[in-house]
Amino acid sequence: LEIKNLYQFSKYSQACCSDGILLPLENMCGANVMWELDENTGLLTISGTGDMFDYGYVWDDASNIYAPWYSIKDKITDVYIEKGVTSIGAIAFASCKSLKSVTISEGVTEIGELAFSSCPELKYLAFPLSLTKINYNVIPDITLNYPGTKAQWLDLVNKSESDFFYRKVICSDGELLPSGACGEDLIWTYDYDNKKLTISGTGEMFDYSIEPDGFGVIDTRPWYELKNIINVVEIEEGVTNIGKHAFEDCEDLVEDKIPSTVTKIGASAF
């Protein structure tokens, strides 16, 4: 029986399989994954084999799918994901306000969307080399440790094809700041410590758009999740064009450095 999310599992009272009956259990967080919280120490242990369930929010509060420890999430200070577990579910540890450390064993291959979002006490996170996919996550306060090289990390992020914001990552051969493409030959880099966004390379920036839709705003800028913590924009020599809407609504922007090579500034760039 393959079940990827808790909604599927909650739709039946029991499953009759060829080798017996499978019942939903309160301490299940995957078809073959269990959780246990030691309330004396604050340690939440995830054990078993296979994927964790994905959790998530929907517009109807009554239909939200919360992790089973949601009601006691503020008691969680440490998370230990044992060997055998292969994924961390979406929203699994979001808003665990007291969470300070997470141990992820080798063998985990995927991090679900927003798995560690809004965890203000979590400042450091080590990812295993077995990781092959990171879904959309915003953790700008967290420094990551990755046992592979910088090239391996960039390959992982590129193959994941999801926006991923973090403070910095420490690889086996050095550190990397959050970065990405913003032109055919341009790269953006964000320095969290100095709250500075740097555009480097040669040529024109891409144009971007900020359009409302039925649920909010579609913002195509790669740094949109960082826009409210950008104090300085530094555009290096060689850049010739600043794209449309590039830095619009960056409310804390107090300084911009534009070189003489820039000959065109797009509409609503600032």
Side-chain angles (χ1 to χ4, degrees), residues 236-249:
E236 296 186 349
E237 292 281 338
V239 179
T240 59
N241 172 69
I242 298 175
K244 295 178 182 178
H245 304 285
F247 310 111
E248 183 179 353
D249 295 330

Side-chain angles (χ1 to χ4, degrees), residues 11-177:
K11 288 173 70 176
Y12 61 86
S13 59
Q14 66 181 37
C16 298
C17 304
S18 60
D19 56 350
I21 294 176
L22 181 65
L23 299 173
L25 300 174
E26 289 184 0
N27 62 336
M28 293 189 71
C29 57
N32 295 293
V33 182
M34 313 290 279
W35 68 277
E36 182 179 3
L37 175 64
D38 184 333
E39 296 194 25
N40 293 320
T41 65
L43 175 63
L44 176 68
T45 301
I46 309 295
S47 61
T49 57
D51 294 338
M52 287 180 63
F53 289 136
D54 287 325
Y55 304 97
Y57 305 124
V58 294
W59 296 109
D60 176 9
D61 273 351
S63 301
N64 283 342
I65 304 169
Y66 295 109
W69 48 82
Y70 185 82
S71 63
I72 51 174
K73 66 184 188 305
D74 290 341
K75 296 181 179 180
I76 300 171
T77 58
D78 303 274
V79 170
Y80 177 44
I81 300 172
E82 293 187 352
K83 192 168 184 177
V85 178
T86 55
S87 77
I88 296 174
I91 320 289
F93 308 109
S95 300
C96 288
K97 303 299 184 184
S98 303
L99 180 60
K100 295 181 179 179
S101 74
V102 178
T103 301
I104 305 174
S105 296
E106 193 69 28
V108 170
T109 60
E110 183 173 350
I111 307 290
E113 288 190 8
L114 299 172
F116 300 102
S117 64
S118 302
C119 298
E121 297 298 317
L122 186 61
K123 302 299 182 184
Y124 177 85
L125 191 57
F127 283 167
L129 194 59
S130 56
L131 204 58
T132 58
K133 184 176 183 180
I134 305 170
N135 290 289
Y136 171 71
N137 270 275
V138 182
I139 48 174
D141 290 336
I142 296 178
T143 295
L144 303 174
N145 187 286
Y146 180 68
T149 64
K150 291 188 287 186
Q152 286 176 300
W153 172 259
L154 292 173
D155 185 57
L156 167 62
V157 172
N158 290 334
K159 286 181 177 178
S160 295
E161 297 182 343
S162 295
D163 291 329
F164 182 38
F165 302 97
Y166 50 91
R167 184 168 187 153
K168 64 181 176 181
V169 57
I170 302 171
C171 301
S172 61
D173 56 349
E175 297 183 359
L176 283 173
L177 298 175

Side-chain angles (χ1 to χ4, degrees), residues 150-251:
K150 291 188 287 186
Q152 286 176 300
W153 172 259
L154 292 173
D155 185 57
L156 167 62
V157 172
N158 290 334
K159 286 181 177 178
S160 295
E161 297 182 343
S162 295
D163 291 329
F164 182 38
F165 302 97
Y166 50 91
R167 184 168 187 153
K168 64 181 176 181
V169 57
I170 302 171
C171 301
S172 61
D173 56 349
E175 297 183 359
L176 283 173
L177 298 175
S179 63
C182 58
E184 292 296 332
D185 296 298
L186 296 179
I187 297 292
W188 67 271
T189 304
Y190 181 72
D191 181 345
Y192 181 94
D193 292 334
N194 296 302
K195 293 181 168 53
K196 182 171 76 171
L197 182 72
T198 301
I199 309 296
S200 59
T202 57
E204 298 184 352
M205 286 180 64
F206 294 135
D207 287 327
Y208 300 103
S209 62
I210 304 172
E211 301 289 344
D213 69 358
F215 300 101
V217 173
I218 298 176
D219 191 328
T220 63
R221 295 173 294 182
W223 49 79
Y224 71 97
E225 290 285 2
L226 303 171
K227 69 183 182 67
N228 291 328
I229 52 173
I230 296 173
N231 289 166
V232 179
V233 170
E234 181 172 351
I235 300 172
E236 296 186 349
E237 292 281 338
V239 179
T240 59
N241 172 69
I242 298 175
K244 295 178 182 178
H245 304 285
F247 310 111
E248 183 179 353
D249 295 330
C250 292
E251 296 179 355

